[in-house]
Amino acid sequence: MAVGWFYLSCLVLGSLGSMCILFTIYWMQYWRGGFAWDGSTYMFNWHPVLMVTGMVVFYSAASLVYRLPQSWVGPKLPWKLLHAALHLMAFILTVLGLVAVFKFHNHNKIANLYSLHSWLGITAVFLFACQWFLGFAVFLLPWAPVWLRSLLKPIHVFFGSSILSLAITSVISGINEKLFFSLKNGTNQYSHLPSEAIFANSTGVLVVVFGLLVLYILLASSWKRPEPGMLTDRQLPLQLRPGSRPFPVTYKPVAVRQPCEP
């Protein structure tokens, strides 16, 4: 049952994540004039698209790699590489998003890093960079002893969820800030709730719902990777071996000869 709910949640997550990206692109294209890379306001439009795609959607996908039941058995290295690669892609998109907004600000002589939105965003990016390099050095490279990985794993998990929460908060404050700056004239004021404001607010709600569902899956104990040496029928209700029949079966707890490293 837990795995069935997991895959249903993944389907919902995939749909919500795609909608978050597509809604942000549509907002920037339809109401803000499209995209460019020339320092103009059209270059700024890349910022929300890249940040939502990188810091929210790709980051979430990378965080959920170890929730896949297929990652619970067999070698862990391929899943480590996928986890690191998705996070690296998210980080690259995030850096491009920062380049877009800083170049726009510098080109138009606008101050950088003065708003609460920018403080939250740059904090999330800084923690993300530290998290990725620490994870790469300790959990991916083979030099670190098991005791060190066990010690740092709870910290790694905590900051993973915290960074996602910061990213979602940054996106919401950024949407609000953009609407306040853009919708301030005549009948098109933000307080009059024109169509752009309704659409942008709806995009923000989608991002919040997406993020809350990701955090729920990350915290749900029934979807966590089993502890080393123990696989239960609650965690593996489907046969995962090649050639097996795709219907639920019952697994008794079994000992794994080679314990998985944390």
Side-chain angles (χ1 to χ4, degrees), residues 11 14 21 75-76 84 100 103 119 131 137 151 156 160 177 202 211 228 230:
L11 179 61
I21 297 172
K76 194 175 180 181
K103 187 173 181 179
W119 289 9
Q131 174 89 335
L151 178 66
H156 187 73
E177 185 177 287
S202 301
M230 189 65 66

Side-chain angles (χ1 to χ4, degrees), residues 81-114:
L81 293 173
L82 178 60
H83 181 72
L86 287 174
H87 271 311
L88 180 60
M89 179 60 68
F91 186 70
I92 292 172
L93 292 174
T94 298
V95 170
L96 289 175
L98 290 179
V99 170
V101 69
F102 278 112
K103 187 173 181 179
F104 164 73
H105 280 190
N106 294 336
H107 184 267
N108 293 275
K109 295 180 172 57
I110 300 174
N112 291 306
L113 300 177
Y114 66 89

Side-chain angles (χ1 to χ4, degrees), residues 23 26 61 72 79 134 212 241 248:
F23 272 43
Y26 186 79
W72 299 349
W79 301 101
L134 177 65
L212 290 176
R241 299 175 182 175

